[in-house]
Every structure is written in structure tokens, then in C-alpha cells.
Amino acid sequence: MSATTITLLGTRSSGKSTWLGAFIDALDRSEALRFDLALRQDDDARTRMQLSQPLSDGRFADRTPDTGAHAKVRLVPQGTWTTQREVSLETADYLGEEFERSFERKDGFWTRDWSQRANARAFALVLRPNDLVALPQIPPPSAEELRRVRALFGEKAIEPSVRTLPFGPEDVAPQLAESQQPVELAPRTLPPTLPTLIEMLQFVRAHRGLSIGERPDLRLALVLSAWDAVEASVQSLGPERFLREKLPLLADFIWSNFDPAQTRCFGLSATGGDLRDESYAEMFRDRDGPLGYVEWSTSADETKRDSDISLPFAWLIAGDSALEPPER
Amino acid sequence: MPLPLVRRPLVCQRKGCEFPNGGRCARSAEFDDPEAQCIELVREEAEVPEDPSAPVGATKPARELGPFEWSGVHLRRDDARRLPNPLTVAVLGHRDAGKTTLLASFFLALAARTDPDFPWRFAGSRTLFTFLTLADLAAKWRGYASSTTIVPHTPKGIAAQFVHLALRTPRATDPRVVDLVISDVSGEDIAEYALNPTPDLEPTMEFVRNADAFVFLVDCVRLMRAKPESTEVIGSAYDSLLSNMLQMVSNVLHKPREQRAVPVVAVWTKFDVVAQDVPPPDEPSLDKTRWGKLGKKALRTLAGLHRLRDAGVPVSLFPVSAFPAAIEHARPFNVCLPFEEILRSREATVAQRIDPPIPMDLQHPFFAMRRGDLP
């Protein structure tokens, strides 16, 4: 029986391996997960160990070497929550640089491995908000500038309150606040993250025969990793609003090209804190229960949190029912 | 709810079978449900098959499966024609008028959604690399005191090139997407063609004849400048040149049997430089008295715009400031408006897309047939 594939896409150091490692570690430690997912025991255990052992030791894994190895973890869902009998989680982590390369050398970039990943039944797009390489950004006008512009160009020029834009299946309208400021991002040393990811999604979509704007019947989770490290005021927006307000290019691309009912944004803290902090690492090693967590936004824009970091996987497999409160 | 199935284009190996295109299955007499029963019908849900051409024992067969007909850089005319729903925007202006800068600023505004009044949503681009390059270059510009240009001049004498932005209508349930194909052609070529349309420029300037809309740039600085720097065209000479460009547009739009309602959006570029001296009207206006000193300097240009409007062409005119300062201080103004105007006027004609899927295997005869490549 062939496994259903979920592909984890992301640029280098976006947190894919840490997430997978923390998930495997949680399974090894028999931490309570809301959905019964077992590792397939006849798989080569070395990949799993490579991913989870550093976290068991209370440290982040070294950057995955460019070895050509393929991080692939097969799961066997138990119980009746899904009809899927086997799920394969595959990352493109080992060649994260491929994303960057894709802009420079498209010829020969699209390998058979990429074709297989592109054929996945669902995708998790992983990005780390604090490490985004930004596009050059023009700050939006401040209130004072709006007044100046109005003085120059007339009252009709810009509305300071900023009108709402339709968003999502019910046209839930996000308010683009007047105080909206560009997110503080890392200095530019690599191609900007969002266009790179967008180009990758365009490749995947083209490979699947999808036209621009055609919304396929597949799920896409946008996973904002190291969510705990994001500034509290930004984190308080919740994952969905973060996407809409801080990453509008990606938000618009996803909205335009994927069924809004089948896309969801998660904030993920795989370890609950920074393992480079020795005191936290010690606490992480000695923990009795999960420290990581995942957050998502409800349709009412409320933020929910759960300590089960496998929930995005469960959502990719089973849809919104995976996020409903567990039955007591 | 089970995980949805991957939807892939159907391909049938049997000659004459129309089932993949929604037609009749060549073996319909044998099957009640061809999609489920016919083994000649392939919907490639399985893993991509092994590449038989790969050398035995190769550790990593680098098979180029790429269905990607774009490279990320400027599109050429033929590339642009392959887009499913192109709306070609001819951006016209003299050298240094700010054509490429407007494109860079428009992309950055779209990327950061700094203009909340622009309702269309970014849906993709086949020229992301070009936009990134332009944005990077613009970000290095240090303001008017700097001696460098904001973005490099588009070289003259090269084939017409275009940038691409796919935009989706803002309503969630509206599936329409438009492929904005925006010209990025050298101002020298445009000016030369306007003055003397020689045959050797025809291939480059063909986009003007096929344009679905025009953005016409009037450089405020050049218009208002009293003394030329080197041999640049300024003042009334510049006004005359623009008038000739408008005549070129008029000629294109009013050829017999080719009358089309193609909007012309004229913009004063670099308006920030003259804004203190020229209080703009509250709304788009072609009235020269409403534009103060600019109106007096652009008599022929405004007259040309009037003539177009009198001939039934939708014309509007407003100020734009694409890069008024170095990026950290820049507050571009109205950079989305030309495109919003065009999209507003063309929205009713943006077709709902029912696109054939982009082929995965470019060599397969089925896809060759769909592309019209078969002899």
C-alpha cells in the first residue's frame, strides 16, 4: 500500500527538521497526542534518530548537511479518526538551498525527487518569522504623512482608516491598521524568503497542471515556526492575522491560488523555547510533559493553543475536524 | 473527512479518445465508468515513474521534468502570448520618464499592500526574479542627491520585454484572474518610433498595436526644466515629443476596423518634485487650468489627450510619485492607481478562466497536441 504523502516545504533553517524531530521525540516519550499516530516500525530508524536525538539531548540539530539524504518519516494512523492507513511526512530540508538556487539556475533544478514531493496530497509550508529575508520595504504612510499627502494631493487621495479587503471564504475583512508597520526582518543576505517560496509553490502548481488562480482540492498548512520567539506584540495578532498583515504577498498568493477553506495558518513552537539557552535546554531535557505548542486562529479570529505539536499534521490529514475540542 | 485526492490531468493512450478533454471515451462501449475502469486512462496520482534514460546506478538522476516555461526574468512577446488571459499594458514614455521605476514601485506596493485602496490580489508572477532585481536596485538608490538612476535604463534596440503580474478579483467567490503583461521597453525606442516608425522598429513596437491599455508617462521634471543637462529634450520640445507619442497611440486606436475601447491612463511622474508649486486637483482632470504651471508647459500633451477623449477613448490623468526618496523615506503615491484604473475599465472583460492544465510531460503527444505543436 502506498503512503499518502505530506510534503514539508521551506527554506533553509526554517524549522522543518526541528518540528519533525520534536514530534518523533514526543512519540518516543509517549506524550499524549490528540490523534493516534504511530511511527512505522519497519522503517530505517536512523533518520528518526537523526531528527529526534539532538532534541532528546536538549539541543537543536545541526544544519542538515547537503548529503542528498531524504528526511522521510512514515506514520500509521490508528483508530477511526481518519481513513488514511499510512502517511509519509517528507521534508525538502536537506536541500533547503534549492529554493534559493531555483532563482539562479532553473535548468536541472527540477529533479525527480521534487516531482515526487510536488505530487503530495497535502503541503506544510514552514517558515520562521524571525528569520525571514525581507523584500525591500517601503513603509506605509504614517498619520503625519497622510496629512501631508492629503495637503498635496487632495482629500480623496488616501483614506487614513484604510478600507477593508475581502479575505477568506466569507469575505472576513481584515482591518489593515493605520499603524501597520513592516515586520522587523533579518538583514538581506539571501534572496527574499517570500518570493522564493512563492516561486516554489508556482513550480509545484505548474507540475500539478494547475493554472494561476485555480484552487485545487488539497490542503495547505502555513506553519510559522519558532513562534515563541516572535515578539509578543506581533504574536498576539495570532497566526492568521500575522500572515495577512505582515506577509501580505504570501497571504494574497495563497488566497488566490488555494481554497481558503483548505488552507490554515499555524504558529508552532516545537520546543516551547530556545534550546540555545542552557537553563531552558535543561528544563526541556527534564520535562515531564510537552513544552512545545501550536496556535491557530478560529473563524472568529480567536487564537487557540494546544500542546500537541502534531495537530498541523492531523489537520492536513483530516481537516478542520482535527482542530475541534477533544471529546470528554 | 478523508484527505482529498490529487487532481492531475487525465491522459489517454488510445488514439481518438476525447475523454481527457471532457468528451467521449474511445472505449465507452466497454466501460460504465471509464475513469475508474480504463487502464489506458492515466491520471498520474502515483509516484513519478523512474526515468528509463537515467544511467543505471546513478545516485541522483537529475531529470529535467520542468514544465516551467518561465525563467523568472522578463517575458518576451511569445512567452507573454502563452499566458491564458493576458491584458497587455503598454507603458509609454520618454527615456527617464520613470517607466521601469513605476513597475518596481507597483510591485513593492503590491508586495507590502501599502495601498489598501487597490483591491486586486496578487496571484502570481512569471517574472518574480525581474521584480526582485528591480526592487533591490531601487532599494539601493539614495535619493535625488544621488547621481545614479533609481533603476538602470532599459536598453534600446532590444526585443520588447514584459513583466507579468497575475491578479485575482477581490471577491472570494469570483474565480477570475487577469494576467497583467506590462511592457518594459526603452524610452528611446518608443520616442523614435513615435517620430519615425521605421520597419526595423516594428517587431519591438508591436506591443503598442496589440495593447489592451496604455499608461502614458509625462515626466514633470523634464517638462518644467528650463536648462537642459547635456542633450536632453526638455520643456516645449519634450511636450511636442509627447504629443507625437499620443498621435502614435491615436493612430493605433483608430485604424479602420480596429476601433477598440482601450483606456489611456496618463500620469505626471515625479510629481513630488513639483507638488509644492502645482497643487493638484482633487480628481483626475484634463483641464490645463487645473494643473497650474504644469498645464501651461504641457499644452500639446493635454491637447493630445483631449483629442483622444473626444474620439471616444477613455482617458484619465493624475499625479504619481513612484520613488520620491530613498526607500526608507519613500512614500510612493498613486503607483497602483494607473493599474487600478485599467483593471476597473477592463474588469467586465476579464474572462472567467477555464484553462487547460499546464502539461507535466512536455514530450507527450497529448500535450504537444494541446499546444498545437504537432505537424
Side-chain angles (χ1 to χ4, degrees):
Chain A
M1 182 180 60
S2 66
T4 295
T5 302
I6 293 175
T7 295
L8 279 64
L9 296 171
T11 52
R12 68 174 79 178
S13 303
S14 57
K16 300 180 295 296
S17 296
T18 302
W19 183 21
L20 267 186
F23 168 57
I24 293 166
D25 192 40
L27 288 176
D28 288 345
R29 294 166 64 102
S30 298
E31 287 178 1
L33 303 178
R34 278 168 60 172
F35 298 94
D36 207 350
L37 286 163
L39 292 166
R40 204 174 130 141
Q41 291 305 319
D42 56 343
D43 274 350
D44 187 338
R46 284 174 294 188
T47 302
R48 300 204 303 256
M49 285 181 64
Q50 256 179 358
L51 290 165
S52 65
Q53 192 57 48
L55 291 161
S56 302
D57 297 340
R59 61 183 173 84
F60 292 119
D62 297 330
R63 267 204 68 211
T64 317
D66 188 358
T67 59
H70 192 157
K72 178 174 177 177
V73 174
R74 287 194 290 180
L75 305 170
V76 184
Q78 312 283 308
T80 57
W81 64 279
T82 174
T83 56
Q84 304 298 321
R85 302 286 30 113
E86 187 172 308
V87 176
S88 176
L89 304 175
E90 302 192 17
T91 75
D93 190 85
Y94 69 100
L95 281 178
E97 290 84 350
E98 278 178 320
F99 286 112
E100 282 82 24
R101 286 179 196 157
S102 71
F103 270 119
E104 292 151 17
R105 283 201 345 245
K106 286 187 194 300
D107 54 320
F109 155 71
W110 194 258
T111 60
R112 189 177 55 175
D113 285 343
W114 270 112
S115 296
Q116 289 179 355
R117 291 175 207 145
N119 284 341
R121 300 281 174 86
F123 293 88
L125 190 64
V126 185
L127 59 94
R128 186 192 296 252
N130 280 9
D131 283 351
L132 291 184
V133 180
L135 269 168
Q137 285 192 304
I138 298 173
S142 66
E144 173 54 33
E145 285 155 351
L146 282 165
R147 273 193 291 278
R148 186 174 62 83
V149 164
R150 254 182 256 119
L152 287 176
F153 297 108
E155 281 295 325
K156 205 178 168 187
I158 289 183
E159 291 298 326
S161 59
V162 180
R163 83 175 184 225
T164 57
L165 290 172
F167 194 91
E170 288 83 40
D171 281 358
V172 176
Q175 295 290 328
L176 299 183
E178 187 178 341
S179 60
Q180 179 184 341
Q181 292 297 317
V183 64
E184 291 292 327
L185 300 169
R188 172 81 183 274
T189 51
L190 293 165
T193 309
L194 300 186
T196 310
L197 288 176
I198 287 168
E199 187 78 330
M200 179 51 54
L201 287 173
Q202 291 191 137
F203 286 172
V204 168
R205 290 176 52 82
H207 176 81
R208 297 173 75 103
L210 297 166
S211 303
I212 296 175
E214 185 180 353
R215 289 168 167 164
D217 188 17
L218 63 82
R219 293 194 188 104
L220 173 72
L222 181 69
V223 179
L224 305 169
S225 63
W227 188 238
D228 59 276
V230 173
E231 188 186 324
S233 62
V234 176
Q235 205 180 125
S236 66
L237 295 172
E240 294 283 350
R241 274 189 68 196
F242 178 88
L243 172 65
R244 292 190 314 242
E245 296 187 12
K246 303 297 183 186
L247 313 174
L249 187 71
L250 183 62
D252 281 357
F253 179 82
I254 290 175
W255 181 87
S256 295
N257 289 290
F258 293 89
D259 180 354
Q262 298 205 66
T263 57
R264 192 168 274 281
C265 189
F266 295 93
L268 170 80
S269 175
T271 57
D274 189 349
L275 297 182
R276 289 168 300 185
D277 175 345
E278 188 46 46
S279 61
Y280 187 81
E282 191 178 337
M283 189 168 80
F284 186 80
R285 277 193 298 271
D286 299 340
R287 69 191 187 278
D288 293 326
L291 293 177
Y293 62 89
V294 62
E295 289 187 351
W296 68 95
S297 307
T298 66
S299 53
D301 233 1
E302 293 171 341
T303 302
K304 297 280 187 188
R305 179 187 279 215
D306 198 289
S307 60
D308 180 354
I309 60 168
S310 73
L311 273 183
F313 296 141
W315 179 81
L316 286 165
I317 295 167
D320 283 349
S321 61
L323 302 180
E324 289 167 5
E327 291 178 13
R328 304 240 172 231
Chain B
M1 190 170 74
L3 204 64
L5 288 172
V6 175
R7 291 195 314 168
R8 299 301 308 276
L10 282 168
V11 181
C12 188
Q13 318 292 324
R14 181 163 286 252
K15 191 177 178 183
C17 181
E18 294 173 348
F19 191 83
N21 285 331
R24 183 182 171 84
C25 168
R27 299 175 67 185
S28 59
E30 298 171 61
F31 304 124
D32 297 329
D33 182 1
E35 190 169 354
Q37 297 167 300
C38 180
I39 59 168
E40 292 183 86
L41 198 59
V42 180
R43 185 189 289 278
E44 300 192 37
E45 289 172 353
E47 290 187 338
V48 175
E50 290 286 329
D51 178 7
S53 64
V56 175
T59 52
K60 190 183 168 197
R63 181 182 170 200
E64 291 182 28
L65 289 173
F68 318 117
E69 297 178 12
W70 72 93
S71 64
V73 299
H74 280 107
L75 299 179
R76 298 296 179 186
R77 189 182 50 191
D78 289 344
D79 303 325
R81 281 179 179 154
R82 284 210 292 266
L83 291 164
N85 194 16
L87 196 157
T88 303
V89 180
V91 181
L92 302 180
H94 192 35
R95 178 188 162 98
D96 270 346
K99 298 179 291 298
T100 310
T101 305
L102 177 65
L103 301 182
S105 190
F106 177 45
F107 174 71
L108 287 173
L110 207 56
R113 216 192 273 158
T114 52
D115 185 349
D117 284 349
F118 186 72
W120 292 72
R121 311 278 295 264
F122 174 78
S125 171
R126 296 302 189 231
T127 56
L128 272 179
F129 189 79
T130 287
F131 279 123
L132 291 184
T133 307
L134 292 176
D136 264 352
L137 291 165
K140 290 181 180 135
W141 185 63
R142 296 290 86 208
Y144 285 120
S146 154
S147 59
T148 56
T149 53
I150 299 174
V151 292
H153 290 296
T154 305
K156 63 179 288 193
I158 61 168
Q161 54 183 16
F162 304 87
V163 291
H164 167 245
L165 280 170
L167 300 171
R168 190 179 179 113
T169 51
R171 291 168 290 282
T173 53
D174 187 339
R176 291 177 304 158
V177 174
V178 62
D179 293 299
L180 268 189
V181 177
I182 310 171
S183 72
D184 185 15
V185 171
S186 134
E188 290 98 319
D189 283 343
I190 295 169
E192 193 176 332
Y193 188 74
L195 295 171
N196 182 22
T198 52
D200 57 318
L201 275 171
E202 282 291 334
T204 302
M205 297 304 294
E206 188 198 17
F207 74 98
V208 174
R209 283 200 305 277
N210 296 318
D212 299 300
F214 291 93
V215 176
F216 189 81
L217 275 61
V218 184
D219 181 346
C220 292
V221 174
R222 199 179 277 264
L223 202 58
M224 298 288 273
R225 184 167 287 160
K227 291 183 180 172
E229 291 177 4
S230 67
T231 57
E232 66 178 0
V233 182
I234 60 166
S236 60
Y238 179 61
D239 188 28
S240 292
L241 178 62
L242 295 182
S243 175
N244 277 289
M245 284 190 197
L246 285 172
Q247 188 57 50
M248 170 180 75
V249 173
S250 179
N251 293 344
V252 166
L253 294 182
H254 296 107
K255 278 190 174 172
R257 298 190 205 171
E258 285 193 25
Q259 293 240 355
R260 296 179 289 157
V262 175
V264 174
V265 178
V267 295
W268 306 107
T269 60
K270 308 172 193 172
F271 194 80
D272 51 289
V273 178
V274 300
Q276 298 294 352
D277 298 330
V278 183
D282 291 342
E283 54 193 27
S285 173
L286 296 188
D287 183 350
K288 67 182 179 202
T289 62
R290 304 285 295 274
W291 292 102
K293 292 178 182 172
L294 270 181
K296 290 177 184 168
K297 294 278 188 181
L299 291 173
R300 296 170 189 84
T301 304
L302 289 170
L305 292 171
H306 271 290
R307 279 195 295 275
L308 281 172
R309 191 167 70 176
D310 293 346
V313 176
V315 179
S316 53
L317 173 65
F318 47 80
V320 162
S321 178
F323 248 91
I327 192 164
E328 60 271 26
H329 306 298
R331 298 292 184 269
F333 182 73
N334 271 356
V335 289
C336 296
L337 199 51
F339 304 99
E340 188 178 347
E341 282 280 304
I342 288 165
L343 289 165
R344 186 184 298 127
S345 68
R346 304 292 300 189
E347 185 176 356
T349 63
V350 173
Q352 180 167 333
R353 297 175 80 136
I354 306 173
D355 302 322
I358 300 173
M360 187 189 77
D361 182 351
L362 295 175
Q363 304 308 314
H364 195 287
F366 171 76
F367 294 123
M369 178 269 293
R370 293 283 292 271
R371 291 198 307 269
D373 286 353
L374 288 182

